[in-house]
């Protein structure tokens, strides 16, 4: 049974570990140097950084559990204008990460529903995200959820260059 709740600073350890595991499950094959991956984790998924991010009022986090086991999380950056959308009323879906073994349990869908409810109840008009252009599963998921391509950009981690699509959705 899936349970979703708003994350608190006390969840930072779970979220940091989920971030590392899910990122490894999805992207580790793209790294020639495992030290680049480790260094990225230290910058991005440290417990202190996640805790501070949860405390930041511009961020909203949700954590998903399966029988009390933390299995995924989502992060929404409430005010996050981008070059891809001509508006200041923009939020960013920064992360929906779910452990691989739970992907078929519709955890991502449930996290998306929570996030979209928050977005729909906000004063923001657009929501956007970045997705690796080769991540077919994620691209199909976002397409099913009404997102469309608005641009492309690159992102570097260590020695690796990644090509991303920027996707967005306007509030109805």
């Amino acid at each position: 049974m899936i349970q979703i709740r708003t994350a608190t600073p006390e969840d930072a350890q779970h979220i940091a570990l989920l971030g590392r595991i899910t990122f490894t499950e999805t992207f580790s094959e793209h790294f020639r140097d495992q030290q680049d991956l480790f260094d990225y984790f230290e910058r991005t998924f440290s417990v202190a950084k996640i805790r501070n991010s949860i405390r930041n009022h511009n961020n909203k986090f949700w954590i998903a559990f399966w029988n009390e086991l933390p299995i995924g999380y989502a992060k929404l950056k409430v005010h996050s204008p981008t070059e891809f959308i001509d508006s200041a009323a923009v939020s960013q879906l920064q992360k929906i990460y779910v452990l691989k073994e739970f992907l078929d349990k519709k955890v991502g869908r449930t996290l998306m529903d929570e996030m979209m409810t928050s977005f729909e109840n906000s004063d923001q008009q657009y929501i956007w995200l970045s997705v690796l252009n080769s991540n077919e599963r994620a691209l199909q998921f976002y397409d099913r959820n009404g997102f469309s391509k608005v641009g492309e950009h690159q992102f570097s981690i260590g020695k690796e260059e990644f090509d991303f699509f920027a996707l967005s959705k306007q509030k109805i």
Side-chain angles (χ1 to χ4, degrees):
M1 171 102 161
I2 302 168
Q3 177 197 2
I4 307 280
R5 67 167 169 74
T6 301
T8 67
E10 291 73 35
D11 294 314
Q13 290 172 312
H14 294 310
I15 291 172
L17 187 57
L18 285 166
R20 288 173 184 244
I21 293 169
T22 56
F23 194 93
T24 298
E25 289 175 340
T26 307
F27 302 110
S28 65
E29 68 191 35
H30 299 286
F31 287 85
R32 292 169 288 175
D33 184 346
Q34 292 302 301
Q35 188 64 44
D36 287 343
L37 191 58
F38 182 81
D39 293 344
Y40 176 74
F41 289 164
E42 289 296 291
R43 285 190 313 276
T44 307
F45 298 116
S46 75
V47 174
K49 180 172 182 174
I50 299 293
R51 187 177 295 120
N52 288 336
S53 190
I54 292 170
R55 287 181 175 141
N56 180 333
H57 294 294
N58 195 44
N59 297 325
K60 293 185 178 187
F61 282 80
W62 294 268
I63 188 165
F65 295 88
W66 181 270
N67 296 326
E68 300 181 55
L69 179 71
I71 59 166
Y73 76 99
K75 178 185 178 189
L76 178 72
K77 188 172 181 181
V78 178
H79 302 286
S80 186
T82 174
E83 64 184 290
F84 302 113
I85 300 170
D86 188 22
S87 174
V90 180
S91 291
Q92 182 183 9
L93 186 169
Q94 286 194 325
K95 293 181 175 46
I96 292 186
Y97 284 2
V98 176
L99 291 172
K100 193 175 192 175
E101 70 181 275
F102 293 94
L103 288 173
D104 66 343
K105 305 289 187 206
K106 307 294 183 207
V107 180
R109 169 85 247 160
T110 308
L111 284 164
M112 176 66 87
D113 290 346
E114 288 287 328
M115 186 181 301
M116 291 308 295
T117 297
S118 178
F119 168 70
E120 292 293 338
N121 292 327
S122 76
D123 59 355
Q124 303 300 292
Q125 293 301 308
Y126 296 89
I127 186 167
W128 76 282
L129 61 95
S130 288
V131 61
L132 188 64
N133 67 1
S134 62
N135 188 340
E136 286 301 323
R137 183 182 185 109
L139 288 166
Q140 290 171 11
F141 174 78
Y142 293 124
D143 183 61
R144 284 192 309 271
N145 283 281
F147 286 82
S148 56
K149 183 178 164 188
V150 293
E152 298 180 21
H153 64 97
Q154 288 190 314
F155 185 74
S156 296
I157 300 175
K159 295 178 249 345
E160 309 302 333
E161 258 320 293
F162 296 94
D163 294 316
F164 283 84
F165 291 145
L167 309 179
S168 78
K169 180 176 181 175
Q170 186 172 2
K171 190 184 285 184
I172 299 170

